[in-house]
Structures are given as structure tokens and as C-alpha cells.
Amino acid sequence: MKKIAVFPGSFDPVTRGHENIVVRAIPLFDEIIVAVGKNVQKDSFFYLDTRIDFLEKVFQDYPTVKVMPYEGLTVDFCRQENAKYILRGLRTSADFEFERSIGQMNKKMYHDIETIFMLSLTEYTPVSSSIVRDIIRNGGDASQFVPEAIAVDLEKY
Ligand code: ADP
């Protein structure tokens, strides 16, 4: 059976931290689905289509990585896609506490799911989509924090 992992997030926008987690996870799975949440709770800065376009550009040279939108529970999306793994990145102890409860609740809801955590590289630990958004909103240059493939696209915002 194919080993499929879902890497869920808002990716508003995708950062070098996200890119690095996916690239390092490629050898572990037959397929990685970068699942872009529509996230009813927060209004996104970038439209869903833009967030997806950025991700497709970033991972265009990786045939085992695909990008899909989803809504609803991550575990329901995993069931639908036959994915038995959820991939998440960990930067800090705050990430860990947050991820621990989600991971444990997901396991309760879908017994066959395993959440796999990868530690961020030290250079990407401070990088977050929210800080990238703040830089863009305030007219700064966020290019060093986003994947090279989309740095030029961000100049438009
Ligand atoms: P969410 O809205 O679910 O927090 P994000 O798009 O912010 O989604 O992040 C998706 C995943 O990527 C999460 O597991 C998050 O911890 C991880 N992540 C975010 N930024 C980084 C980074 N700089 N390095 C490693 N992992 C990261």
C-alpha cells in the first residue's frame, strides 16, 4: 500500500520553513499531499487560489508532492485520500503543546492515523507566515523568508 502523508496548513503564504519540511520528508513517503485549509475561522491574507498557485510553483519539480485544497476535519480528508500519516513541523515548545493535543485528538478520531513531526532547521525556527504577512503589509521585503520560486510573485503585494 502506498505510504501517503498529508501536510495540512494555511500556507498564507508558504515559507521556506514549510518548503524545507516537505523536501526533507519526500524520501519518507510515496506521496505527500500539501493540504491547504480553507480555514473558516480566520480570513486569509492571500486567496485560496493564490496560496495553491504558490505551492504548486514551489513543488513543481517534485513529482511525489501534490497540492490540494480541503475543508472540514483533517482526519476526514486523510480518510478520503487514504493517507495514514499527518506531517507537521515543530519550531518551538509552543508548537509542540499545540500539536500534541491536535495529534492526540486526531488519533482518537482516526485510530489508523500517525502524526509525524519534523523539527525545523535552526535557521527557519523564527520564520512564520504571520510575520511574512506583516512584512508585506508594511511594505518590507520578505523574499529571504519565502521559497525562491515565489519571491518575485510576492513583490506584487
Ligand atoms: P496552521 O495554520 O495549521 O498553523 P501553517 O501554514 O502555519 O498552518 O503551518 C503548517 C505546518 O508547518 C505546521 O505544522 C507548522 O508548525 C509548520 N511550520 C510553520 N512554519 C514552520 C517553520 N518555519 N519551520 C518548520 N515548520 C513550520
Side-chain angles (χ1 to χ4, degrees):
M1 206 169 66
K2 258 172 104 181
K3 262 193 281 178
I4 304 173
V6 165
F7 183 48
S10 334
F11 306 105
D12 189 25
V14 56
T15 67
R16 287 195 189 197
H18 297 130
E19 177 187 36
N20 179 259
I21 295 289
V22 173
V23 169
R24 285 161 57 209
I26 286 172
L28 306 178
F29 302 103
D30 298 313
E31 186 176 299
I32 297 175
I33 302 172
V34 181
V36 190
K38 293 188 182 172
N39 206 338
V40 283
Q41 271 159 36
K42 53 182 178 186
D43 288 332
S44 62
F45 182 80
F46 290 100
Y47 290 122
L48 179 68
D49 287 352
T50 309
R51 287 182 275 146
I52 290 173
D53 285 349
F54 285 168
L55 285 160
E56 281 177 345
K57 218 164 169 183
V58 171
F59 298 113
Q60 64 186 350
D61 294 331
Y62 299 100
T64 60
V65 178
K66 69 179 187 183
V67 181
M68 290 175 75
Y70 83 106
E71 56 190 333
L73 290 176
T74 304
V75 284
D76 288 341
F77 180 73
C78 291
R79 271 200 196 93
Q80 176 196 308
E81 296 302 318
N82 258 318
K84 296 281 193 304
Y85 305 93
I86 294 175
L87 176 65
R88 296 291 281 178
L90 286 183
R91 287 163 293 186
T92 60
S93 54
D95 271 355
F96 170 75
E97 271 311 318
F98 180 69
E99 296 294 340
R100 181 189 53 74
S101 54
I102 296 179
Q104 289 174 332
M105 297 290 270
N106 282 340
K107 184 78 176 163
K108 286 273 183 201
M109 291 188 285
Y110 182 13
H111 188 262
D112 291 343
I113 204 82
E114 292 295 349
T115 305
I116 308 293
F117 297 110
M118 290 190 75
L119 294 177
S120 63
L121 293 189
T122 49
E123 59 266 46
Y124 300 133
T125 299
V127 176
S128 69
S129 297
S130 62
I131 297 180
V132 167
R133 291 195 298 274
D134 274 348
I135 296 171
I136 297 168
R137 266 194 210 104
N138 291 292
D141 177 8
S143 56
Q144 62 178 308
F145 307 118
V146 299
E148 272 182 41
I150 64 158
V152 176
D153 301 272
L154 279 192
E155 285 170 13
K156 290 187 294 208
Y157 292 90

